[in-house]
């Protein structure tokens, strides 16, 4: 992806080192999966010990950070799709 004059800085910063839409989608899906992982599942499923061993996060701080990051990547992708597109 190359920066154009009309591209906002927040869009450029989201995908400055990613050149294809496929790469951007991989980044977004990785963020979404990590966001789901950061939900403190051990606090929700207290009677299952394996959940506490698999999901070691005990508070909502990581989720609170990952949710807006995932949203930022998604709206940046939508902006690029509508305005400039991806280089082939």
């Amino acid at each position: 992806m190359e920066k154009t004059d009309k591209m906002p800085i927040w869009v450029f910063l989201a995908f400055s080192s990613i050149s294809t839409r496929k790469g951007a989608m991989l980044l977004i899906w990785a963020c979404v999966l990590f966001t789901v992982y950061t939900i403190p599942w051990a606090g929700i499923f207290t009677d299952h010990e394996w959940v506490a061993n698999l999901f070691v996060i005990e508070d909502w701080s990581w989720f609170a950070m990952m949710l807006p990051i995932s949203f930022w990547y998604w709206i940046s992708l939508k902006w690029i799709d509508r305005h400039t597109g991806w280089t082939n």
Side-chain angles (χ1 to χ4, degrees):
M1 179 192 70
E2 293 186 21
K3 184 168 178 3
T4 62
D5 293 335
K6 296 179 183 178
M7 182 180 292
I9 190 72
W10 57 270
V11 173
F12 176 70
L13 290 176
F15 300 123
S16 62
S17 63
I18 297 176
S19 59
T20 63
R21 188 177 196 283
K22 181 180 178 181
M25 288 300 296
L26 286 172
L27 175 66
I28 291 170
W29 279 111
C31 283
V32 168
L33 287 175
F34 189 70
T35 301
V36 171
Y37 176 80
T38 59
I39 294 172
W41 296 107
I44 298 170
F45 298 104
T46 56
D47 53 339
H48 299 290
E49 184 177 328
W50 66 271
V51 174
N53 291 333
L54 182 62
F55 301 101
V56 295
I57 297 173
E58 297 177 355
D59 63 358
W60 290 92
S61 62
W62 278 98
F63 179 79
M65 179 180 57
M66 287 305 300
L67 194 62
I69 291 171
S70 298
F71 182 68
W72 169 44
Y73 286 145
W74 180 72
I75 61 172
S76 297
L77 178 75
K78 293 300 176 189
W79 191 96
I80 293 173
D81 286 344
R82 286 189 201 133
H83 294 91
T84 60
W86 296 90
T87 58
N88 293 329

